[in-house]
Amino acid sequence: MGKITAAITATGAYVPDYILTNKILETMVDTNDEWITSRTGIKERRILKDEGKGTSYLAINAAQDLINKKGIDPTEIDLVIVATATPDMKAASTAAYTATQIGAVNAFSFDLEAACSSFLFGMSVASSYIESGKYKNVLLIGADKNSSFINYKDRATCIIFGDGAGAVLFEPNEEGLGLQDELLRSNGEGREFLQATYGGSSYPSTPEAVAEGKHYIFQDGKTVFKNAVFNMADVTEKILERNQLTKDDIAWLVAHQANKRIIDATANRVKIDDSKVMMNIQKYGNTTSATLPLLLNDYESRLKKGDKLIFAAFGGGFTWGSIYFKWAYNS
Ligand code: UT7
């Protein structure tokens, strides 16, 4: 028997109904549709408004979509990983709640947090469990309710982020399809440029901190932008080189949707044509852990068995990386 590889065999997705358009944002902060569109590529984003519903609500719905499409029995799922930067609560695992709600009663589950790289790093973790032969059905969900820590008076962040979730199923493959290679990195010196300072263990929430909005996410956009462009392009170029791939070999670039200009810069560095760059930032904005699976779900009907994909992401921490992946099915 040949080496077992880890392939994606199904996708699912969920975004909330409420659409926050650039036009609506114009009434909330000093901004305009033209600036947001030209500087980020974003036209609208989805927001989960219902009180008491958190990231697990998004994750459960995305997983349910996958389960219905694939027709898989949830009791056969071995492991549920929820990649997220916005867990429902402290101390209580979002993945445990999600797994139970979808009927994955025989699975163990955990959350994985690496900011906007959470799903990419989750692909590595899910694949390792499959490649080792330990588990057969690993459900990886990328879900974030970013609106839970956005200050809708801060134009540097509120125009960018949205809520959503995407799910993929990893299964063993004996044709060599699925994850081929990965280059994953982090640098903790980056955390001062993108963080929600209060509400964690370093600085627990206080009434004063909340009154000053210090529990909201803050970013030094320019510094994050520069690092994202440099690092995402760098790992993407390296992974192509070390797998002897040219731009013509690649069917799709699947890049984290943080800013269209960052994605374009990555594609330009490796000379991948625009027509091969998956893009849905215009309708969802930056959904953090959900961007990559939402792309896969949106483009699923256009993906063919054997297609060579390059994934790339960059996020807070800093965290970043690239994965070379062969698609395993026609839908
Ligand atoms: O997933 C990883 C997390 N985040 C990211 O990857 C985000 C990375 N950063 C970015 O995408 C960009 O830096 C932003 C979209 C956040 C900002 O774009 P920018 O091109 O870096 O703009 P800037 O901050 O340099 O600001 C340019 C101008 C400034 O005006 P002056 O000083 O030139 O007069 C800003 O005050 O645009 C102004 N500006 C705005 N104007 C209208 C900043 N934000 C806005 C806004 N609407 N929302």
Side-chain angles (χ1 to χ4, degrees):
M1 201 174 80
K3 180 179 176 285
I4 298 170
T5 49
I8 289 174
T9 59
T11 72
Y14 176 78
V15 290
D17 293 335
Y18 180 78
I19 301 175
L20 179 59
T21 62
N22 290 351
K23 283 279 161 214
I24 299 172
L25 280 169
E26 284 180 5
T27 67
M28 297 162 65
V29 287
D30 179 15
T31 192
N32 59 77
D33 175 48
E34 199 284 319
W35 192 96
I36 301 172
T37 308
S38 62
R39 304 308 289 169
T40 69
I42 303 167
K43 294 299 272 183
E44 57 191 44
R45 59 297 284 140
R46 301 300 182 105
I47 306 295
L48 179 58
K49 291 241 175 199
D50 315 33
E51 210 179 318
K53 287 184 181 164
T55 293
S56 65
Y57 179 79
L58 304 167
I60 290 163
N61 278 286
Q64 206 58 65
D65 182 45
L66 181 150
I67 288 166
N68 295 342
K69 272 166 66 182
K70 174 84 173 161
I72 184 180
D73 175 355
T75 64
E76 288 173 9
I77 297 171
D78 303 303
L79 166 61
V80 176
I81 303 172
V82 175
T84 186
T86 53
D88 281 3
M89 296 168 185
K90 296 219 178 72
S93 163
T94 301
Y97 184 71
T98 301
T100 300
Q101 291 298 311
I102 62 171
V105 291
N106 295 317
F108 75 110
S109 57
F110 57 84
D111 298 347
L112 189 158
E113 204 277 309
C116 291
S117 305
S118 300
F119 186 84
L120 188 85
F121 290 8
M123 290 175 69
S124 167
V125 175
S127 295
S128 300
Y129 276 117
I130 297 282
E131 287 162 4
S132 71
K134 231 175 174 178
Y135 302 114
K136 299 257 180 293
N137 290 301
V138 178
L139 183 65
L140 173 63
I141 308 167
D144 268 303
K145 185 183 167 187
N146 287 314
S147 60
S148 63
F149 66 3
I150 294 290
N151 178 357
Y152 284 95
K153 290 183 177 151
D154 174 11
R155 68 178 184 175
T157 51
C158 75
I159 59 146
I160 295 172
F161 293 96
D163 302 338
V168 299
L169 184 69
F170 277 88
E171 286 187 83
N173 184 282
E174 290 181 11
E175 296 177 275
L177 301 170
L179 194 141
Q180 306 293 307
D181 193 15
E182 63 183 41
L183 193 49
L184 310 178
R185 293 284 178 269
S186 58
N187 178 355
E189 284 173 10
R191 85 169 176 180
E192 66 180 282
F193 304 109
L194 176 55
Q195 60 174 243
T197 312
Y198 276 75
S201 57
S202 299
Y203 302 99
S205 276
T206 61
E208 296 75 29
V210 171
E212 288 173 40
K214 289 181 172 170
H215 58 303
Y216 291 128
I217 193 170
F218 147 88
Q219 74 165 340
D220 170 352
K222 258 198 186 337
T223 304
V224 177
F225 185 91
K226 275 190 218 148
N227 279 276
V229 168
F230 177 79
N231 288 307
M232 245 168 74
D234 184 58
V235 285
T236 303
E237 191 168 47
K238 283 188 176 132
I239 210 148
L240 286 172
E241 266 170 29
R242 78 180 191 191
N243 287 282
Q244 286 103 44
L245 295 166
T246 71
K247 64 180 175 58
D248 299 323
D249 298 318
I250 301 308
W252 295 101
L253 176 67
V254 194
H256 173 54
Q257 309 280 292
N259 185 319
K260 184 173 184 300
R261 290 185 292 139
I262 299 174
I263 304 162
D264 289 344
T266 303
N268 286 342
R269 170 86 83 88
V270 289
K271 302 188 173 54
I272 291 179
D273 192 75
D274 282 356
S275 62
K276 295 178 170 185
V277 179
M278 290 189 185
M279 194 77 74
N280 60 12
I281 193 169
Q282 67 283 356
K283 49 182 187 169
Y284 303 137
N286 182 350
T287 55
T288 305
S289 313
T291 61
L292 300 180
L294 281 173
L295 283 172
L296 292 178
N297 192 70
D298 276 3
Y299 282 78
E300 188 184 25
S301 63
R302 296 165 70 181
L303 287 163
K304 294 189 201 62
K305 185 173 175 181
D307 273 357
K308 293 176 178 159
L309 314 183
I310 296 292
F311 289 83
F314 181 88
F318 292 139
T319 55
W320 71 97
S322 182
I323 285 180
Y324 166 36
F325 202 90
K326 286 189 189 163
W327 197 248
Y329 64 96
N330 300 315
S331 59

